[in-house]
Each structure stands twice: as structure tokens, then as C-alpha cells.
Amino acid sequence: MTGPRLATRPAAWTAAIVLSVTGSGLVVGGGTAHAEDIDHLTAQQIADRSRDALLSAQSLHLSTRGDLGKGSTPMSLELTVDRDGNCNGSVDLGNSQGSALIVKRGDDIWIKPDADFWKNQVPNGGSAFAAIVGDRYMKGSADDPRLSALTKTCDLNTFQKLVSDNANDDTGTLNKGAKTTLGKASVVPLTRMRDGTTLTLDVAATGKPYPLRLTIEGNGADAAVGFSAFDEPVPRTTPSPADSFDVSALLGRSTSPV
């Protein structure tokens, strides 16, 4: 049987988000993370402080919606992650391709696909997998190479390292917009045009200058990424043994990615 392809797709989408944020030059440089004088800061100074605030977070919630273009699937992601590699959330692969719940705590990781996932993502044997697992989670070890991409997606350190490593390209002009609101939050929008794509980062105008939303439009892309729940703990609840099925028993001893 061919194993599920869930492991690599959320990781690829998250990497694309990070590169959209940092590769655009929206979040670059360094500075002290304070927002109280944001009215008097330049666009670049706000971007500097926003980057520092993001890199200082111990945990956060990442919410993605839409299509990154270039043939990508309009998938969505709802994931709370921390620096200890714990995570809790879900991924929807879009276009009725299926979704899955994801839980990682310490050295263990659980994945619970829905019926559409089994049907569309595992064409050779999906129905058999679904019948075996039933309404349970697949449980595996975080160091299982078949789950490595998914494990990295659950680690805030991986996300922050990508931000840090790719924050050097400042092509195009960075513009500071008028202060506005995002939900109940006061924000300052920073906008950059690059290669026909418009990227807008809404930065909190009060308190710590966290990036709260990134929107990407142009070249077929129409996506939004929300950042929230900074420094709030990842839910500690994990599936019970009765609700779990060993992924090795399901997929055998192959080390190929699932």
C-alpha cells in the first residue's frame, strides 16, 4: 500500500509562508520590540521590531487560508506550536482532498485523517487504512523518519529559524500605511510590492509589535496568514491509548515518508 502524503504538505505550505514573510523583506533587521512609539517609527523600524517580537515568542497560533499560487492547493492550517516541539491543531488540504487533526506532545505525535483524506490522498489502499484505523488517531514517534516533515512543522524553533535565515532580501519599497484595526486590535499595515505580488503585514500598534496578519495577493496567490496566541501554552490533552493506533503497525517497518 502507498502511505499517506500528509506529512510533507503542511511543512511545504508553512515554509512558503515563512519565505513570503521574510523573503519579501517585510520582516528584516533588528531592533527593540516596543510599539508605544509606533506613530513616529519608519516602515523599516516597525518591520525590524515586528521581526524581533516574532522571534522572541515562546509559542503562537498559526492560521492560514487561501492559495499561494503557482499551482498550489488552497489548503488551510490551524496550528498552535511552541519551542518545545509541541503542537495541536488541524490541516485541510483543500478541494475536498481531506483534512486531519494533528497532536504532538514530547516524543509522540498523533494524526487523525478524515474520510476524504483516506479516499483522495491514499488511492492505493486508503479504504483499507480507514477500515483498520477507524475513528482513532495514528500514533507515531517524533523521531520516525516517515513523520519527520510533520514533526518539523510542529516545532516553533523550525519556523523561527526560517524567519531568521531568510530575512535578508529587501527588494522593492516598503510602505507604511495609516493606522487601522484588525478585529479589536489596532494595527499598522506595512506593504511591499515584489514581482507582481503585493504583501501586506499588519503589525500590532499597541503592546509588543507582533505581526498579526500577512496577506499575499498577485500572480495567482490570494492568501492570508494570521498570527495569534503569542506565548500561550499549547493544549496538553492527548488522545488516549484506546483512541490511538500504532503507525508502525499500520505502515509496517518502512522508513519511507508517509
mmCIF file of all heavy atoms in Angstrom, residues 118-149:
data_model
loop_
_atom_site.group_PDB
_atom_site.id
_atom_site.type_symbol
_atom_site.label_atom_id
_atom_site.label_comp_id
_atom_site.label_asym_id
_atom_site.label_seq_id
_atom_site.Cartn_x
_atom_site.Cartn_y
_atom_site.Cartn_z
ATOM 1 N N TRP A 118 -8.422 9.814 3.411
ATOM 2 C CA TRP A 118 -8.114 8.424 3.058
ATOM 3 C C TRP A 118 -8.454 8.139 1.601
ATOM 4 O O TRP A 118 -7.702 7.475 0.889
ATOM 5 C CB TRP A 118 -8.898 7.473 3.966
ATOM 6 C CG TRP A 118 -8.429 7.399 5.383
ATOM 7 C CD1 TRP A 118 -9.147 7.688 6.505
ATOM 8 C CD2 TRP A 118 -7.131 6.989 5.848
ATOM 9 N NE1 TRP A 118 -8.388 7.506 7.633
ATOM 10 C CE2 TRP A 118 -7.149 7.067 7.250
ATOM 11 C CE3 TRP A 118 -5.966 6.573 5.217
ATOM 12 C CZ2 TRP A 118 -6.045 6.739 8.029
ATOM 13 C CZ3 TRP A 118 -4.859 6.246 5.991
ATOM 14 C CH2 TRP A 118 -4.902 6.327 7.378
ATOM 15 N N LYS A 119 -9.587 8.676 1.161
ATOM 16 C CA LYS A 119 -10.048 8.414 -0.201
ATOM 17 C C LYS A 119 -9.141 9.057 -1.249
ATOM 18 O O LYS A 119 -8.787 8.415 -2.254
ATOM 19 C CB LYS A 119 -11.474 8.938 -0.358
ATOM 20 C CG LYS A 119 -12.037 8.804 -1.776
ATOM 21 C CD LYS A 119 -13.434 9.400 -1.850
ATOM 22 C CE LYS A 119 -13.982 9.348 -3.274
ATOM 23 N NZ LYS A 119 -15.339 9.970 -3.357
ATOM 24 N N ASN A 120 -8.758 10.308 -1.033
ATOM 25 C CA ASN A 120 -8.048 11.063 -2.060
ATOM 26 C C ASN A 120 -6.531 11.042 -1.934
ATOM 27 O O ASN A 120 -5.825 11.119 -2.944
ATOM 28 C CB ASN A 120 -8.524 12.520 -2.047
ATOM 29 C CG ASN A 120 -9.978 12.663 -2.410
ATOM 30 O OD1 ASN A 120 -10.394 12.252 -3.480
ATOM 31 N ND2 ASN A 120 -10.767 13.229 -1.523
ATOM 32 N N GLN A 121 -6.018 10.952 -0.725
ATOM 33 C CA GLN A 121 -4.571 11.033 -0.527
ATOM 34 C C GLN A 121 -3.900 9.662 -0.538
ATOM 35 O O GLN A 121 -2.684 9.552 -0.669
ATOM 36 C CB GLN A 121 -4.256 11.746 0.792
ATOM 37 C CG GLN A 121 -4.851 13.138 0.888
ATOM 38 C CD GLN A 121 -4.409 14.039 -0.242
ATOM 39 O OE1 GLN A 121 -3.226 14.120 -0.552
ATOM 40 N NE2 GLN A 121 -5.360 14.717 -0.872
ATOM 41 N N VAL A 122 -4.692 8.597 -0.364
ATOM 42 C CA VAL A 122 -4.134 7.242 -0.379
ATOM 43 C C VAL A 122 -4.947 6.405 -1.363
ATOM 44 O O VAL A 122 -5.733 5.540 -0.973
ATOM 45 C CB VAL A 122 -4.171 6.607 1.033
ATOM 46 C CG1 VAL A 122 -3.301 5.349 1.072
ATOM 47 C CG2 VAL A 122 -3.706 7.597 2.092
ATOM 48 N N PRO A 123 -4.771 6.656 -2.668
ATOM 49 C CA PRO A 123 -5.602 5.969 -3.668
ATOM 50 C C PRO A 123 -5.401 4.467 -3.676
ATOM 51 O O PRO A 123 -6.322 3.720 -4.018
ATOM 52 C CB PRO A 123 -5.155 6.605 -4.987
ATOM 53 C CG PRO A 123 -3.812 7.183 -4.709
ATOM 54 C CD PRO A 123 -3.839 7.613 -3.286
ATOM 55 N N ASN A 124 -4.206 4.006 -3.325
ATOM 56 C CA ASN A 124 -3.938 2.568 -3.295
ATOM 57 C C ASN A 124 -3.943 2.065 -1.856
ATOM 58 O O ASN A 124 -2.913 2.017 -1.193
ATOM 59 C CB ASN A 124 -2.585 2.251 -3.944
ATOM 60 C CG ASN A 124 -2.541 2.631 -5.402
ATOM 61 O OD1 ASN A 124 -3.495 2.405 -6.135
ATOM 62 N ND2 ASN A 124 -1.437 3.231 -5.835
ATOM 63 N N GLY A 125 -5.132 1.730 -1.376
ATOM 64 C CA GLY A 125 -5.217 1.164 -0.030
ATOM 65 C C GLY A 125 -5.841 2.069 0.998
ATOM 66 O O GLY A 125 -5.901 1.712 2.173
ATOM 67 N N GLY A 126 -6.307 3.258 0.597
ATOM 68 C CA GLY A 126 -6.892 4.173 1.558
ATOM 69 C C GLY A 126 -8.083 3.591 2.292
ATOM 70 O O GLY A 126 -8.229 3.774 3.506
ATOM 71 N N SER A 127 -8.942 2.880 1.580
ATOM 72 C CA SER A 127 -10.117 2.303 2.227
ATOM 73 C C SER A 127 -9.714 1.255 3.248
ATOM 74 O O SER A 127 -10.345 1.130 4.308
ATOM 75 C CB SER A 127 -11.047 1.686 1.177
ATOM 76 O OG SER A 127 -10.373 0.677 0.434
ATOM 77 N N ALA A 128 -8.642 0.510 2.955
ATOM 78 C CA ALA A 128 -8.159 -0.487 3.910
ATOM 79 C C ALA A 128 -7.587 0.184 5.148
ATOM 80 O O ALA A 128 -7.836 -0.247 6.286
ATOM 81 C CB ALA A 128 -7.096 -1.370 3.255
ATOM 82 N N PHE A 129 -6.797 1.253 4.957
ATOM 83 C CA PHE A 129 -6.258 2.002 6.089
ATOM 84 C C PHE A 129 -7.398 2.526 6.957
ATOM 85 O O PHE A 129 -7.376 2.423 8.184
ATOM 86 C CB PHE A 129 -5.414 3.187 5.609
ATOM 87 C CG PHE A 129 -4.018 2.830 5.196
ATOM 88 C CD1 PHE A 129 -3.441 3.428 4.077
ATOM 89 C CD2 PHE A 129 -3.264 1.916 5.910
ATOM 90 C CE1 PHE A 129 -2.152 3.122 3.686
ATOM 91 C CE2 PHE A 129 -1.970 1.598 5.528
ATOM 92 C CZ PHE A 129 -1.412 2.204 4.423
ATOM 93 N N ALA A 130 -8.409 3.124 6.297
ATOM 94 C CA ALA A 130 -9.526 3.716 7.025
ATOM 95 C C ALA A 130 -10.265 2.663 7.841
ATOM 96 O O ALA A 130 -10.673 2.923 8.976
ATOM 97 C CB ALA A 130 -10.479 4.398 6.047
ATOM 98 N N ALA A 131 -10.445 1.487 7.266
ATOM 99 C CA ALA A 131 -11.146 0.417 7.967
ATOM 100 C C ALA A 131 -10.361 -0.053 9.187
ATOM 101 O O ALA A 131 -10.933 -0.373 10.234
ATOM 102 C CB ALA A 131 -11.393 -0.755 7.018
ATOM 103 N N ILE A 132 -9.029 -0.103 9.058
ATOM 104 C CA ILE A 132 -8.183 -0.553 10.169
ATOM 105 C C ILE A 132 -8.154 0.467 11.298
ATOM 106 O O ILE A 132 -8.329 0.141 12.473
ATOM 107 C CB ILE A 132 -6.744 -0.831 9.675
ATOM 108 C CG1 ILE A 132 -6.744 -2.017 8.705
ATOM 109 C CG2 ILE A 132 -5.813 -1.116 10.849
ATOM 110 C CD1 ILE A 132 -5.420 -2.203 7.984
ATOM 111 N N VAL A 133 -7.938 1.732 10.938
ATOM 112 C CA VAL A 133 -7.786 2.777 11.956
ATOM 113 C C VAL A 133 -9.125 3.179 12.557
ATOM 114 O O VAL A 133 -9.225 3.454 13.754
ATOM 115 C CB VAL A 133 -7.093 4.018 11.350
ATOM 116 C CG1 VAL A 133 -6.992 5.134 12.377
ATOM 117 C CG2 VAL A 133 -5.706 3.654 10.849
ATOM 118 N N GLY A 134 -10.166 3.197 11.729
ATOM 119 C CA GLY A 134 -11.475 3.597 12.207
ATOM 120 C C GLY A 134 -11.483 5.043 12.669
ATOM 121 O O GLY A 134 -10.934 5.922 12.012
ATOM 122 N N ASP A 135 -12.063 5.278 13.832
ATOM 123 C CA ASP A 135 -12.184 6.643 14.355
ATOM 124 C C ASP A 135 -11.053 6.970 15.327
ATOM 125 O O ASP A 135 -11.209 7.772 16.233
ATOM 126 C CB ASP A 135 -13.536 6.817 15.057
ATOM 127 C CG ASP A 135 -13.866 8.286 15.323
ATOM 128 O OD1 ASP A 135 -13.534 9.116 14.463
ATOM 129 O OD2 ASP A 135 -14.419 8.585 16.400
ATOM 130 N N ARG A 136 -9.899 6.330 15.126
ATOM 131 C CA ARG A 136 -8.757 6.550 16.015
ATOM 132 C C ARG A 136 -7.690 7.410 15.347
ATOM 133 O O ARG A 136 -7.730 7.654 14.144
ATOM 134 C CB ARG A 136 -8.146 5.203 16.416
ATOM 135 C CG ARG A 136 -9.046 4.352 17.295
ATOM 136 C CD ARG A 136 -8.463 2.971 17.531
ATOM 137 N NE ARG A 136 -8.464 2.151 16.320
ATOM 138 C CZ ARG A 136 -8.063 0.891 16.275
ATOM 139 N NH1 ARG A 136 -7.635 0.291 17.387
ATOM 140 N NH2 ARG A 136 -8.101 0.208 15.145
ATOM 141 N N TYR A 137 -6.755 7.862 16.138
ATOM 142 C CA TYR A 137 -5.574 8.573 15.649
ATOM 143 C C TYR A 137 -4.491 7.560 15.299
ATOM 144 O O TYR A 137 -4.354 6.528 15.959
ATOM 145 C CB TYR A 137 -4.999 9.487 16.727
ATOM 146 C CG TYR A 137 -5.766 10.755 16.998
ATOM 147 C CD1 TYR A 137 -6.944 10.737 17.755
ATOM 148 C CD2 TYR A 137 -5.305 11.981 16.541
ATOM 149 C CE1 TYR A 137 -7.636 11.909 18.038
ATOM 150 C CE2 TYR A 137 -5.976 13.162 16.818
ATOM 151 C CZ TYR A 137 -7.139 13.117 17.562
ATOM 152 O OH TYR A 137 -7.816 14.274 17.847
ATOM 153 N N MET A 138 -3.706 7.861 14.263
ATOM 154 C CA MET A 138 -2.452 7.138 14.049
ATOM 155 C C MET A 138 -1.424 7.752 14.992
ATOM 156 O O MET A 138 -1.221 8.963 14.998
ATOM 157 C CB MET A 138 -1.981 7.276 12.602
ATOM 158 C CG MET A 138 -2.874 6.636 11.578
ATOM 159 S SD MET A 138 -2.105 6.665 9.916
ATOM 160 C CE MET A 138 -2.114 8.445 9.583
ATOM 161 N N LYS A 139 -0.779 6.910 15.790
ATOM 162 C CA LYS A 139 0.220 7.407 16.737
ATOM 163 C C LYS A 139 1.609 6.939 16.309
ATOM 164 O O LYS A 139 1.805 5.777 15.945
ATOM 165 C CB LYS A 139 -0.059 6.899 18.148
ATOM 166 C CG LYS A 139 0.966 7.385 19.174
ATOM 167 C CD LYS A 139 0.738 6.777 20.547
ATOM 168 C CE LYS A 139 1.812 7.238 21.527
ATOM 169 N NZ LYS A 139 1.649 6.618 22.865
ATOM 170 N N GLY A 140 2.568 7.864 16.341
ATOM 171 C CA GLY A 140 3.938 7.510 15.990
ATOM 172 C C GLY A 140 4.932 8.234 16.869
ATOM 173 O O GLY A 140 4.566 9.057 17.715
ATOM 174 N N SER A 141 6.193 7.928 16.668
ATOM 175 C CA SER A 141 7.275 8.576 17.392
ATOM 176 C C SER A 141 7.748 9.803 16.617
ATOM 177 O O SER A 141 7.829 9.779 15.390
ATOM 178 C CB SER A 141 8.438 7.600 17.592
ATOM 179 O OG SER A 141 9.558 8.268 18.140
ATOM 180 N N ALA A 142 8.067 10.864 17.330
ATOM 181 C CA ALA A 142 8.514 12.098 16.679
ATOM 182 C C ALA A 142 9.806 11.902 15.903
ATOM 183 O O ALA A 142 10.090 12.657 14.970
ATOM 184 C CB ALA A 142 8.699 13.200 17.721
ATOM 185 N N ASP A 143 10.605 10.877 16.261
ATOM 186 C CA ASP A 143 11.853 10.641 15.529
ATOM 187 C C ASP A 143 11.696 9.633 14.399
ATOM 188 O O ASP A 143 12.671 9.241 13.759
ATOM 189 C CB ASP A 143 12.969 10.206 16.480
ATOM 190 C CG ASP A 143 12.666 8.897 17.215
ATOM 191 O OD1 ASP A 143 11.632 8.253 16.902
ATOM 192 O OD2 ASP A 143 13.455 8.512 18.101
ATOM 193 N N ASP A 144 10.458 9.225 14.108
ATOM 194 C CA ASP A 144 10.190 8.336 12.976
ATOM 195 C C ASP A 144 10.452 9.113 11.687
ATOM 196 O O ASP A 144 9.827 10.150 11.447
ATOM 197 C CB ASP A 144 8.730 7.870 13.017
ATOM 198 C CG ASP A 144 8.404 6.798 11.985
ATOM 199 O OD1 ASP A 144 9.019 6.803 10.894
ATOM 200 O OD2 ASP A 144 7.522 5.966 12.271
ATOM 201 N N PRO A 145 11.392 8.673 10.832
ATOM 202 C CA PRO A 145 11.701 9.424 9.611
ATOM 203 C C PRO A 145 10.502 9.596 8.686
ATOM 204 O O PRO A 145 10.465 10.529 7.882
ATOM 205 C CB PRO A 145 12.813 8.608 8.955
ATOM 206 C CG PRO A 145 12.728 7.251 9.564
ATOM 207 C CD PRO A 145 12.232 7.464 10.960
ATOM 208 N N ARG A 146 9.522 8.711 8.782
ATOM 209 C CA ARG A 146 8.326 8.844 7.950
ATOM 210 C C ARG A 146 7.484 10.046 8.346
ATOM 211 O O ARG A 146 6.641 10.513 7.572
ATOM 212 C CB ARG A 146 7.478 7.573 8.052
ATOM 213 C CG ARG A 146 8.149 6.333 7.487
ATOM 214 C CD ARG A 146 7.407 5.066 7.838
ATOM 215 N NE ARG A 146 7.339 4.852 9.287
ATOM 216 C CZ ARG A 146 6.882 3.736 9.860
ATOM 217 N NH1 ARG A 146 6.440 2.749 9.097
ATOM 218 N NH2 ARG A 146 6.856 3.627 11.162
ATOM 219 N N LEU A 147 7.693 10.555 9.555
ATOM 220 C CA LEU A 147 6.901 11.665 10.066
ATOM 221 C C LEU A 147 7.744 12.918 10.284
ATOM 222 O O LEU A 147 7.277 13.890 10.877
ATOM 223 C CB LEU A 147 6.248 11.263 11.403
ATOM 224 C CG LEU A 147 5.357 10.017 11.376
ATOM 225 C CD1 LEU A 147 4.899 9.667 12.780
ATOM 226 C CD2 LEU A 147 4.156 10.219 10.463
ATOM 227 N N SER A 148 8.968 12.920 9.781
ATOM 228 C CA SER A 148 9.908 13.996 10.095
ATOM 229 C C SER A 148 9.425 15.374 9.622
ATOM 230 O O SER A 148 9.580 16.366 10.331
ATOM 231 C CB SER A 148 11.283 13.695 9.502
ATOM 232 O OG SER A 148 11.213 13.584 8.086
ATOM 233 N N ALA A 149 8.854 15.444 8.413
ATOM 234 C CA ALA A 149 8.398 16.740 7.897
ATOM 235 C C ALA A 149 7.276 17.300 8.762
ATOM 236 O O ALA A 149 7.238 18.496 9.054
ATOM 237 C CB ALA A 149 7.946 16.595 6.446
#
